[in-house]
Amino acid sequence: MLSSSGDASPAPRPSGRAATLSRPVSWFLLAFGVWSWFIWITFAKNLWKDGSGLAFDDAGDPTAYFWVHLALAVTSFLLGTAVGLIGLRGVRALRRTS
């Protein structure tokens, strides 16, 4: 990192303290993770059983619609899981400190 005079200075060091989430934020993130599990697993099941002809062609092969929506569901499920785990860690940390 360059200082205002152009000299190289060391990068700032982290303080070693972890950020603390508030109780409402922790519970919101945890609830969002649970919601994601419910919604996206249900969506993937419905996509797999689709009888409208969008997800599978007449030969029973998956269509582009199927693959795109499956990728969306898997990605959203994984992101929801990560967010939920952050919320769970926040709730656990708050319980240890109180």
Side-chain angles (χ1 to χ4, degrees):
M1 178 182 285
L2 294 177
S3 66
S4 59
S5 64
D7 298 334
S9 62
R13 299 183 132 213
S15 65
R17 278 185 19 150
T20 304
L21 299 173
S22 69
R23 186 175 309 279
V25 170
S26 296
W27 280 106
F28 174 79
L29 294 175
L30 181 58
F32 182 84
V34 171
W35 173 257
S36 291
W37 273 61
F38 175 74
I39 290 299
W40 290 107
I41 289 176
T42 302
F43 180 83
K45 285 180 183 178
N46 290 338
L47 181 65
W48 192 261
K49 294 187 288 186
D50 179 57
S52 70
L54 288 173
F56 298 96
D57 61 16
D58 293 334
D61 296 326
T63 63
Y65 177 90
F66 173 84
W67 292 114
V68 167
H69 286 82
L70 182 64
L72 287 171
V74 169
T75 301
S76 296
F77 173 73
L78 293 173
L79 290 173
T81 300
V83 168
L85 288 174
I86 292 169
L88 180 62
R89 289 181 66 188
V91 168
R92 285 178 152 177
L94 289 168
R95 286 190 177 165
R96 281 193 299 264
T97 60
S98 58

